[in-house]
């Protein structure tokens, strides 16, 4: 294993808001944050990682009705639809052959269940968002006017790197409350023969996905995940996006004054976009089978105006 680094103190973590800040780095009007690390050259290099043409999803299926409010309308014949007799198209009134179904969905995707993307406006610190904007730019009626998920409307396409820390520790999964540290990340790099570089999306496997598949439980208030000590490492490596098979932060975080330091420092200071609650089991199995821990990763958020994130289905292509 690599040498242990000193554990950051509470003051160290609070200091990250200044020492790891990307405010102004890409201009005062920048809303992309660390996604600026994904250049055209980075995307081209990501495309070149595809060797086998095999794609796997890194998302959980959204269960009904557990994770959403759902109303489905089914009309075996379109002519039976209420109001069809008033439609201006005669076909609606007369055609007895075709029917349809449609849905109305309501979903709360933030939390510890649905796979989703967090944009920088998702969190405030001292009433401030990424790049120094006030929280007042988020309005109850219209959503956020700053650093919403629509900043990534063209999608996030880059090289993905899966770091399997459960495998490094030789356990089926990390237990709730166990944090992942830079030493774990570097040991995973060493074992897997890969190195995280600028513009990468780093996906952290704690094994919670396996636990969730086997137990049927999404998890509780405590969880394994990134420890705050990883934040300088992610900043130094120029990571564009991080994901995990949990909601990112180890819980409890170990810092009474900072409940979710990876979310808080990452989103507010660094502008680091987050992929929460991934299902990385298929990705890990494919990586192990092919002996390749890098892949082309595509994340396409829905262009919900003014929202702090989006449910997503990240696709890894090997």
């Amino acid at each position: 294993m690599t040498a242990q680094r000193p554990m950051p103190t509470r003051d160290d973590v609070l200091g990250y808001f200044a020492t790891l800040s990307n405010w102004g780095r890409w201009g005062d009007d920048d809303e992309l944050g660390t996604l600026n690390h994904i250049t055209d050259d980075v995307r081209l290099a990501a495309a070149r990682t595809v060797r086998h043409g095999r794609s796997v999803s890194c998302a959980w299926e959204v269960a009904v009705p557990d994770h959403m409010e759902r109303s489905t309308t089914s009309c075996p014949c379109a002519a039976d639809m209420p109001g069809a007799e008033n439609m201006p198209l005669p076909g609606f009134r007369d055609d007895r052959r075709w029917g349809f179904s449609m849905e109305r969905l309501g979903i709360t995707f933030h939390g510890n269940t649905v796979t989703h993307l967090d944009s920088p406006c998702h969190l405030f610190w001292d009433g401030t968002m990424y790049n120094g904007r006030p929280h007042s730019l988020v309005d109850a009626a219209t959503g956020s006017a700053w650093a919403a998920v629509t900043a990534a409307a063209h999608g996030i396409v880059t090289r993905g790197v899966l770091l399997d820390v459960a495998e490094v520790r030789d356990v089926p999964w990390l237990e709730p409350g166990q944090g992942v540290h830079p030493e774990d990340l570097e040991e995973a790099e060493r074992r897997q023969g890969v190195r995280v570089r600028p513009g990468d999306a780093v996906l952290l496997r704690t094994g919670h996905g396996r636990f969730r598949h086997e137990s049927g439980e999404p998890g509780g208030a405590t969880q394994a995940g990134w420890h705050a000590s990883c934040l300088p490492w992610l900043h130094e490596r120029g990571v564009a996006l991080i994901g995990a098979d949990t909601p990112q932060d180890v819980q409890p975080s170990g810092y009474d004054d900072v409940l979710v330091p990876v979310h808080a420092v990452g989103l507010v200071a660094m502008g680091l976009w987050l992929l929460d609650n991934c299902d990385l089991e298929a990705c890990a199995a494919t990586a192990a089978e092919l002996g390749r821990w890098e892949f082309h990763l595509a994340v396409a958020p829905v262009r919900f105006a003014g929202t702090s994130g989006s449910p997503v289905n990240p696709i890894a292509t090997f």
Side-chain angles (χ1 to χ4, degrees):
M1 293 286 287
T2 53
Q4 290 283 333
R5 295 170 173 83
M7 191 69 65
T9 65
R10 166 190 172 275
D11 288 341
D12 290 333
V13 173
L14 291 174
Y16 290 163
F17 284 99
T19 60
L20 305 183
S21 174
N22 285 322
W23 291 10
R25 179 175 180 177
W26 295 287
D28 292 338
D29 293 327
D30 174 61
E31 300 177 73
L32 284 175
T34 54
L35 296 187
N36 284 286
H37 290 305
I38 305 176
T39 63
D40 292 347
D41 287 342
V42 166
R43 294 187 190 93
L44 287 170
R48 289 191 288 269
T49 65
V50 178
R51 303 286 178 82
H52 303 273
R54 190 182 306 180
S55 290
V56 295
S57 168
C58 297
W60 289 95
E61 184 171 291
V62 181
V64 179
D66 291 353
H67 306 145
M68 69 166 69
E69 297 176 6
R70 179 185 181 111
S71 174
T72 298
T73 300
S74 178
C75 286
C77 294
D80 295 334
M81 182 183 73
E85 66 277 6
N86 299 319
M87 292 292 289
L89 298 175
F92 258 93
R93 298 194 297 268
D94 303 329
D95 192 341
R96 307 296 301 179
R97 300 295 297 276
W98 70 278
F100 64 88
S101 64
M102 61 183 184
E103 293 78 28
R104 179 182 178 88
L105 306 176
I107 182 170
T108 301
F109 53 84
H110 288 300
N112 66 350
T113 303
V114 177
T115 306
H116 65 273
L117 180 69
D118 288 348
S119 70
C121 73
H122 177 47
L123 229 67
F124 317 137
W125 187 259
D126 288 337
T128 305
M129 293 186 285
Y130 171 67
N131 230 354
R133 294 309 198 272
H135 73 92
S136 57
L137 289 176
V138 180
D139 179 80
T142 59
S144 182
W146 181 256
V149 75
T150 45
H154 299 301
I156 303 171
V157 176
T158 191
R159 186 180 79 137
V161 175
L162 178 67
L163 297 182
D164 193 341
V165 172
E167 181 68 21
V168 165
R169 296 192 185 179
D170 195 26
V171 295
W173 52 74
L174 274 61
E175 295 297 332
Q178 291 186 320
V180 172
H181 302 274
E183 295 76 24
D184 298 301
L185 308 178
E186 291 173 1
E187 180 65 9
E189 286 183 314
R190 187 187 68 79
R191 291 195 187 190
Q192 297 169 188
V194 69
R195 181 176 173 82
V196 172
R197 61 192 187 215
D200 282 348
V202 180
L203 304 184
L204 170 66
R205 180 179 179 268
T206 71
H208 179 68
R210 176 177 172 180
F211 169 82
R212 187 170 164 182
H213 279 289
E214 294 184 5
S215 70
E217 298 294 330
T222 60
Q223 67 205 26
W226 301 94
H227 187 270
S229 59
C230 292
L231 288 164
W233 190 92
L234 295 167
H235 187 266
E236 178 185 341
R237 294 294 187 94
V239 170
L241 170 74
I242 62 170
D245 51 11
T246 67
Q248 311 292 354
D249 285 84
V250 62
Q251 287 296 310
S253 70
Y255 302 95
D256 292 340
D257 295 340
V258 195
L259 177 65
V260 282
V262 173
H263 268 74
V265 175
L267 290 168
V268 178
M270 297 168 62
L272 177 65
W273 295 60
L274 310 178
L275 271 176
D276 292 354
N277 310 317
C278 295
D279 180 2
L280 299 175
E281 294 309 290
C283 188
T286 304
E289 176 191 348
L290 301 177
R292 293 182 58 79
W293 300 89
E294 62 172 359
F295 41 84
H296 178 278
L297 184 71
V299 182
V302 182
R303 295 178 71 170
F304 289 130
T307 63
S308 58
S310 168
V312 289
N313 180 20
I315 302 296
T317 302
F318 291 83

